Amino acid sequence: MIGVVFAFSIGGFVYKYYFINGVALFGIIVQSLQLVTCIIFLSFAPKTNEIITSPVNVEENDEEKDKDNNEEKNKENNNKNAEDVAPWTRRVSFKMRRLTLMMIEANTYYSTNETIPVTWVNWVMCLSFGIEALTIGYNLSIGPIFMLNEFNKDTGIIGIMFAVGAASGTVTAIGVTCTSTGRKCLKKIADSPYDICFAMAGIGTGVLVAAVPNFPGHVIGLIILMCFNDLGA
């Protein structure tokens, strides 16, 4: 993600002063550095997967046994709680039941031993990947041309705008997924797996706002789009 921000922020100015040849040369330099870094890493990587065994301690074994007993007790309590909550989970809508029947029917035709089983969560995830690919493809291919032709902005400014959007998406994704406060806020809005649907709704909102022929509105829509796209990813 940091590399995306770097490429957007530098790429616009490279094109402004050195045109497409400069962008191609810049890409070759970056890829060459990446290749050299990969070769250095592989040359210094450990050659074997030896496992060093540590001496056995009797006290540690006793502690592990106690932990295992406590885990078994916790599992029994969780099973009891799950049985109490089960009647609530059985109350599903007609559409959800119909979708579940479709999944079961699909599993009868496709082997679940060698492939990913067909569940409605996997279905939503595959659909979300398609939506993300479509929107980010539109954003990266048509977005700069749209800003150049519609608003007559400099390519350096366009690169900075996309860098701001990518940075906002990075901060949003890290803040929501890697911090306890962000995870709690997301659970209050939409718990898993419905958080994927929430991200898709945000992507759709960003696309609609970005279509407004107004530069500040387009920038806001661009930031919303990239934020929710990184969140969904």
Side-chain angles (χ1 to χ4, degrees), residues 167-189:
S168 302
T170 302
V171 172
T172 301
I174 293 175
V176 171
T177 57
C178 298
T179 62
S180 59
T181 304
R183 288 193 294 268
K184 289 178 182 178
C185 292
L186 184 60
K187 284 185 177 180
K188 290 180 180 179
I189 299 173

Side-chain angles (χ1 to χ4, degrees), residues 8-205:
F8 276 134
S9 59
I10 300 298
F13 292 102
V14 172
Y15 180 81
K16 178 180 179 180
Y17 293 105
Y18 301 100
F19 303 103
I20 192 65
N21 293 332
V23 175
L25 182 61
F26 176 71
I28 292 173
I29 294 172
V30 172
Q31 291 298 323
S32 300
L33 292 175
Q34 183 179 1
L35 181 61
V36 171
T37 305
C38 181
I39 293 173
I40 293 173
F41 172 78
L42 293 176
S43 62
F44 288 99
K47 304 299 182 182
T48 59
N49 294 325
E50 296 179 356
I51 300 175
I52 301 174
T53 58
S54 58
V56 179
N57 192 347
V58 178
E59 294 180 357
E60 291 180 355
N61 290 334
D62 293 335
E63 291 179 357
E64 290 179 356
K65 291 180 180 179
D66 294 335
K67 290 181 180 179
D68 294 335
N69 294 329
N70 292 328
E71 289 179 356
E72 291 179 358
K73 291 180 181 179
N74 291 330
K75 288 181 179 179
E76 292 178 356
N77 293 328
N78 291 331
N79 291 331
K80 291 180 181 179
N81 293 330
E83 292 177 357
D84 295 335
V85 180
W88 291 95
T89 59
R90 294 194 188 106
R91 297 179 183 178
V92 293
S93 62
F94 174 75
K95 292 183 179 179
M96 187 63 67
R97 270 183 267 172
R98 185 177 179 183
L99 181 60
T100 304
L101 292 175
M102 292 174 62
M103 300 299 182
I104 295 173
E105 185 179 358
N107 283 326
T108 60
Y109 290 102
Y110 299 97
S111 174
T112 58
N113 295 326
E114 298 179 357
T115 57
I116 300 176
V118 182
T119 61
W120 73 273
V121 176
N122 292 336
W123 201 344
V124 171
M125 288 184 65
C126 292
L127 180 64
S128 68
F129 291 153
I131 295 174
E132 290 175 22
L134 180 63
T135 53
I136 202 64
Y138 151 80
N139 184 32
L140 299 180
S141 59
I142 303 177
I145 301 174
F146 179 81
M147 294 180 70
L148 181 64
N149 294 334
E150 185 70 21
F151 305 114
N152 296 322
K153 296 297 180 180
D154 189 74
T155 55
I157 301 298
I158 295 174
I160 292 176
M161 291 296 101
F162 276 86
V164 170
S168 302
T170 302
V171 172
T172 301
I174 293 175
V176 171
T177 57
C178 298
T179 62
S180 59
T181 304
R183 288 193 294 268
K184 289 178 182 178
C185 292
L186 184 60
K187 284 185 177 180
K188 290 180 180 179
I189 299 173
D191 199 2
S192 180
Y194 300 102
D195 50 357
I196 301 175
C197 302
F198 173 70
M200 295 302 102
I203 291 174
T205 303

